[in-house]
Amino acid sequence: MKPQYWFRWFSVQGLPRLVLRSQARRGHPFAQLMGGRQGFTDPYPLIEQLRAQGRLVKTPIAWASADHELVRAILRDNRFGVRANKNLDLPGPLVRLVERFPLPPNPVEPPSMLVIDPPEHTRMRRPVAAAFTPRAVARLRDRVESVTEELLEELPSGGSADLITAFAAQVPIAIISEMLGFPREDKQMFLNWGDAATPLLDIGISRRAHRTALDAMEVMNDYLDGHIERLRREPGENILSSLVTAGELDTYGLKATASLLMGAGFETTVNLIGNGVVQLLSHPDQLERLRAEPELWPNAVEEVLRIDAPVQTTARSALEDVEIAGIPLRKGNTVVVSLAGANRDPKVFEDPARFDVGRANAKDHLTFSSGVHVCLGASLARMEATYALRALFERFPDMRLAGAPRRRELFTLHGYERLPVRLGRSVRAPQATVV
């Protein structure tokens, strides 16, 4: 590992890792949630322990909340922002050390929209937003349908498959690759880069995972240099070509934006589709209801987003001294907001641990965040998942699990690494309709 990368790992990941592990051994639910195996296998009991401690809880490395009202308020409050190195209350000398050693362009470093505040955030977001308007997403519907049908044709009738690698990952990577003008034959590279880089969204990752992620980002950085140069010579009909020709972003900004769109446009939807398959196979009564009332499919996707959020958490830092829930926070204090916890707040959702595809207020979840940082691609993810899930279950009505699904060893991005199923017979069902 390059010396500057080691310093970054030690400052941003290594020290929090030591603190979290120490506190986890003492039984602190937040530390167990963020730094232990249960945090990615079954985080919800730990979230409920955290909720029981109060609406806003002081933890070993930050404040935390799983309260729906409070989480939503913080996300929408312009007195909070994302300007913090890894959103932790790091000592000043460590902050300056981190800033001395920037990483290659990536989703978790400025100028990525994920980690900058207005007005810079507004400048970076504006040219990208046009690709995710309702009209723009509607134009992608035909491609989502054709990609899904092609993948379903390749699944073996009467056979078995890992639905993550054979289906859930393939739908969003095909769409986002086309949106960025990437050749289809490069899809596997993007999948590999995503698997390597996504641990950077977590807190307290190992030095090995950090090194693997940075190696992947350096390779991706070189690839994007060449790709952007090709688009300058021969722009196509895709969002990255539009950004290149508009000239509003420099090359570094273009690469940061492309890497964010790759990650956000792919990882969230993979997890959403995989989580949806497991929920429906684990609740056959709900699947039967969808077969009887197919108009509920869009709401079923909202319920999956609520009950098993593909993005579990985010964080905000106070940009000034502020009082929240009667507790004074100082400028620079960080609040880790549990989106998954807010989605199961019993004050908002009746019987919140119950999976109910007909839940009237399922869409009140906060999985896609809120405020200025609300997810740009939320409508695209909803559309992809709604069509993919409905088409999958209509094509393979006898599908069942063929073993225990295996979770990814990640906390922030919550999904499955492996999802083995027996597909059963393939039938030609009426074509699904995205509502």
Side-chain angles (χ1 to χ4, degrees):
M1 180 182 288
K2 296 178 181 179
Q4 63 266 34
Y5 289 169
W6 186 91
F7 281 122
R8 285 192 61 94
W9 171 81
F10 178 75
S11 301
V12 176
Q13 301 284 359
L15 287 177
R17 182 180 177 87
L18 290 173
V19 173
L20 288 171
R21 287 192 162 191
S22 172
Q23 294 298 319
R25 286 193 293 269
R26 298 180 184 180
H28 197 293
F30 178 84
Q32 293 174 325
L33 185 66
M34 304 295 283
R37 175 169 293 272
Q38 190 176 344
F40 58 81
T41 55
D42 185 18
Y44 301 108
L46 292 172
I47 290 174
E48 293 311 312
Q49 290 181 41
L50 190 66
R51 188 194 312 282
Q53 294 181 8
R55 299 181 70 205
L56 186 62
V57 179
K58 186 72 174 74
T59 80
I61 59 173
W63 293 87
S65 179
D67 182 272
H68 187 281
E69 181 184 15
L70 198 55
V71 167
R72 185 176 183 274
I74 290 171
L75 292 172
R76 297 172 67 86
D77 192 331
N78 59 15
R79 296 174 299 171
F80 287 87
V82 293
R83 288 184 186 277
N85 288 291
K86 202 57 187 175
N87 288 311
L88 294 176
D89 297 336
L90 294 176
L94 287 183
V95 171
R96 290 189 289 274
L97 180 65
V98 168
E99 291 172 346
R100 284 183 56 195
F101 300 116
L103 301 180
N106 66 87
V108 297
E109 295 282 325
S112 166
M113 288 180 282
L114 194 66
V115 290
I116 57 176
D117 296 318
E120 293 91 342
H121 175 267
T122 307
R123 181 179 67 85
M124 294 291 291
R125 185 178 173 108
R126 186 186 301 113
V128 180
F132 296 97
T133 64
R135 180 176 297 179
V137 170
R139 287 198 296 268
L140 290 169
R141 183 173 301 172
D142 288 345
R143 185 60 185 140
V144 169
E145 293 178 3
S146 63
V147 166
T148 301
E149 294 305 319
E150 290 168 11
L151 292 169
L152 292 175
E153 284 293 324
E154 295 173 3
L155 294 175
S157 179
S160 301
D162 173 8
L163 280 186
I164 299 300
T165 57
F167 186 72
Q170 299 301 325
V171 175
I173 199 64
I175 302 303
I176 200 63
S177 293
E178 292 184 15
M179 292 180 71
L180 294 173
F182 296 142
R184 292 188 184 185
E185 58 268 22
D186 290 346
K187 286 191 302 181
Q188 189 56 48
M189 285 196 306
F190 307 142
L191 291 170
N192 294 340
W193 290 339
D195 286 343
T198 48
L200 290 174
L201 292 166
D202 281 358
I203 297 172
I205 65 174
S206 70
R207 189 166 55 174
R208 176 180 295 180
H210 191 257
R211 182 178 64 246
T212 300
L214 298 189
D215 289 345
M217 286 194 303
E218 289 191 340
V219 175
M220 184 175 68
N221 183 57
D222 293 340
Y223 178 94
L224 288 174
D225 277 331
H227 182 61
I228 289 170
E229 187 56 39
R230 285 191 295 272
L231 294 182
R232 285 197 171 104
R233 296 192 305 267
E234 301 176 13
E237 295 183 4
N238 56 74
I239 181 176
L240 194 52
S241 288
S242 298
L243 294 175
V244 168
T245 56
E248 294 185 45
L249 305 178
D250 61 15
T251 298
Y252 196 93
L254 288 168
K255 290 189 291 187
T257 299
S259 65
L260 174 61
L261 292 175
M262 249 194 300
F266 165 63
E267 295 289 346
T268 301
T269 310
V270 173
N271 292 346
L272 172 55
I273 294 173
N275 294 354
V277 170
V278 173
Q279 287 294 328
L280 289 167
L281 291 180
S282 302
H283 298 87
D285 60 320
Q286 297 300 301
L287 184 55
E288 285 304 312
R289 184 174 180 184
L290 288 172
R291 287 172 175 148
E293 303 175 68
E295 68 275 10
L296 286 178
W297 272 106
N299 199 71
V301 169
E302 300 297 339
E303 179 69 345
V304 174
L305 286 162
R306 184 197 70 82
I307 200 167
D308 202 17
V311 181
Q312 292 269 302
T313 190
T314 187
R316 295 291 184 267
S317 295
L319 301 178
E320 59 186 70
D321 291 349
V322 60
E323 184 175 298
I324 295 291
I327 297 174
L329 301 182
R330 300 190 65 179
K331 180 180 179 180
N333 284 169
T334 294
V335 182
V336 174
V337 292
S338 173
L339 306 176
N343 292 349
R344 291 185 176 216
D345 190 334
K347 298 192 300 293
V348 177
F349 303 101
E350 183 181 357
D351 194 5
R354 177 171 55 88
F355 179 60
D356 178 6
V357 299
R359 185 182 294 272
N361 68 338
K363 204 169 184 178
D364 289 342
H365 65 78
L366 295 174
T367 295
F368 290 122
S369 191
S370 189
V372 297
H373 283 278
V374 68
C375 178
L376 263 177
S379 58
L380 177 59
R382 286 178 164 112
M383 187 262 284
E384 288 177 327
T386 300
Y387 188 87
L389 286 169
R390 179 175 177 181
L392 174 67
F393 279 100
E394 289 183 343
R395 180 66 65 92
F396 296 100
D398 301 324
M399 183 171 58
R400 65 187 188 277
L401 292 174
R406 186 170 65 216
R407 286 284 188 185
R408 301 175 72 183
E409 295 189 5
L410 299 170
F411 170 68
T412 301
L413 293 176
H414 186 67
Y416 290 94
E417 180 179 78
R418 186 171 180 272
L419 178 46
V421 297
R422 297 193 188 281
L423 292 162
R425 60 192 174 94
S426 173
V427 301
R428 291 288 180 178
Q431 189 175 27
T433 301
V434 179
V435 178

